[in-house]
């Protein structure tokens, strides 16, 4: 097979088996494969550069944000539709977005393009959070060869982090602690959607959307009490997303002898 076939093709292991993209199991995995570290560094660099472009060149930044958002939505829509038609997902409606990050790859571009302000606090914060968590987990590097599905996933989760940060640079969004309840409400909506899939839509298939039915933590951390760990991780990331920019502004203001910036809310 040539590179094009390996990169885009879907293959079945045998009669009746759903097709999947090529995998070789030759990667070193998360935190052992250099590509995982390279991805983490790249996301940081893209976030910083994207923010600076948006802030200093707003016209170019806006075009870039809209273009990337549209590309994210269209690519994910075409890919998921193909997976449903080709029988990759069993049942076929497994191609619909059920995981939080998958839903966000559709919702985030819509919120950005149509400037839906009421959804920004929840969607942007949860996009950043979901993207970062996926990046830290590094599921993509168990294989040496990365086919289209892996590269598309890596790109999509990168944009979940970078696009909201660019929106902050453009002045289209700001983190507001007083609106944190939007994030909590959004998370509950996503959990309800995943529970509907787990308990009703895919009953009998034993799915684990948003890892609500079974422990999805590495090494089964937390055992049967894994949900408490989920809550702790959620609160930790919330504190980081809202707290770090405030801490940075206060430090920057102090260095420049400017009145410190106070947290909103």
């Amino acid at each position: 097979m040539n590179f094009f076939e390996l990169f885009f093709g879907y293959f079945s292991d045998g009669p009746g088996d759903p097709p999947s993209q090529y995998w070789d199991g030759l990667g070193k995995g998360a935190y052992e494969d250099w590509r995982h570290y390279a991805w983490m560094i790249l996301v940081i660099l893209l976030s910083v550069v994207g923010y600076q472009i948006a802030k200093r060149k707003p016209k170019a930044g806006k075009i870039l944000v809209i273009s990337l958002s549209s590309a994210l939505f269209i690519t994910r829509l075409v890919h998921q539709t193909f997976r449903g038609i080709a029988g990759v997902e069993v049942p076929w409606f497994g191609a619909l977005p059920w995981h939080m990050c998958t839903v966000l790859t559709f919702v985030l571009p819509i919120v950005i393009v149509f400037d839906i302000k009421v959804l920004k606090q929840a969607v942007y914060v949860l996009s950043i959070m979901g993207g970062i968590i996926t990046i830290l987990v590094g599921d993509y590097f168990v294989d040496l060869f990365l086919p289209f599905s892996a590269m598309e996933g890596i790109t999509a989760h990168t944009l979940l982090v970078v696009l909201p940060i660019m929106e902050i640079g453009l002045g289209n969004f700001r983190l507001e602690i007083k609106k944190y309840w939007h994030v909590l409400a959004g998370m509950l909506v996503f959990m309800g959607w995943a529970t509907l899939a787990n308990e009703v839509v895919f009953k009998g298939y034993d799915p684990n959307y948003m890892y609500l039915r079974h422990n999805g933590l590495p090494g089964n951390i937390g055992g049967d009490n894994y949900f408490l760990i989920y809550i702790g991780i959620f609160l930790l990331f919330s504190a980081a997303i809202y707290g770090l920019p405030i801490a940075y502004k206060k430090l920057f203001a102090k260095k420049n002898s400017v009145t410190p910036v106070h947290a909103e809310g």
Side-chain angles (χ1 to χ4, degrees):
M1 289 184 288
N2 58 39
F3 174 83
F4 184 87
E5 291 174 319
L6 286 176
F7 188 69
F8 290 106
Y10 279 84
F11 311 94
S12 179
D13 293 331
D17 291 330
S20 63
Q21 287 222 264
Y22 178 80
W23 58 275
D24 55 35
L26 298 177
K28 295 183 178 180
Y31 298 100
E32 293 187 27
D33 196 308
W34 67 268
R35 295 171 300 175
H36 187 201
Y37 292 100
W39 186 24
M40 290 188 282
I41 293 171
L42 180 62
V43 171
I44 294 172
L45 291 176
L46 289 176
S47 297
V48 173
V49 172
Y51 176 83
Q52 292 299 326
I53 290 174
K55 191 173 183 64
R56 298 183 183 187
K57 298 180 181 295
K59 185 175 181 180
K62 183 176 181 179
I63 293 173
L64 185 57
V65 166
I66 297 298
S67 298
L68 290 174
S69 298
S70 301
L72 172 61
F73 183 91
I74 294 170
T75 302
R76 181 52 66 99
L77 178 63
V78 172
H79 188 213
Q80 292 300 109
T81 300
F82 174 80
R83 288 172 64 88
I85 295 173
V88 178
E89 301 288 350
V90 179
W92 67 267
F93 42 86
L96 296 174
W98 300 103
H99 267 302
M100 186 178 82
C101 282
T102 307
V103 176
L104 285 168
T105 56
F106 290 102
V107 175
L108 177 64
I110 292 173
V111 171
I112 290 174
V113 172
F114 294 99
D115 194 27
I116 307 176
K117 293 180 174 58
V118 70
L119 295 180
K120 286 187 176 183
Q121 198 74 207
V123 171
Y124 286 14
V125 172
L126 291 174
S127 291
I128 293 172
M129 189 181 300
I132 290 176
I133 290 174
T134 301
I135 291 165
L136 291 176
V137 171
D139 283 335
Y140 294 102
F141 304 105
V142 294
D143 297 314
L144 186 61
F145 181 83
L146 298 179
F148 174 79
S149 60
M151 294 302 299
E152 190 263 353
I154 289 172
T155 303
H157 286 92
T158 299
L159 291 177
L160 286 181
V161 178
V162 175
L163 288 174
I165 291 175
M166 291 188 70
E167 279 281 272
I168 294 174
L170 287 171
N172 293 335
F173 170 69
R174 62 178 179 172
L175 294 164
E176 298 180 85
I177 295 176
K178 64 184 179 182
K179 292 184 178 179
Y180 180 65
W181 70 270
H182 291 198
V183 180
L184 295 175
M187 178 58 76
L188 290 175
V189 170
F190 283 122
M191 289 175 63
W193 180 245
T195 299
L196 175 66
N198 290 335
E199 306 299 335
V200 179
V201 179
F202 296 95
K203 189 174 182 178
Y205 289 91
D206 193 30
N208 194 25
Y209 291 110
M210 284 189 69
Y211 310 108
L212 295 178
R213 292 193 57 160
H214 309 294
N215 193 335
L217 297 168
N220 199 40
I221 297 174
D224 292 336
N225 298 313
Y226 62 90
F227 194 75
L228 295 177
I229 307 296
Y230 289 176
I231 294 174
I233 293 172
F234 176 76
L235 294 176
L236 178 64
F237 273 87
S238 295
I241 290 171
Y242 281 93
L244 290 177
I246 294 172
Y248 174 80
K249 287 180 180 179
K250 285 187 175 182
L251 180 62
F252 183 80
K254 185 177 180 180
K255 286 184 177 181
N256 291 275
S257 299
V258 179
T259 303
V261 177
H262 297 285
E264 299 179 37

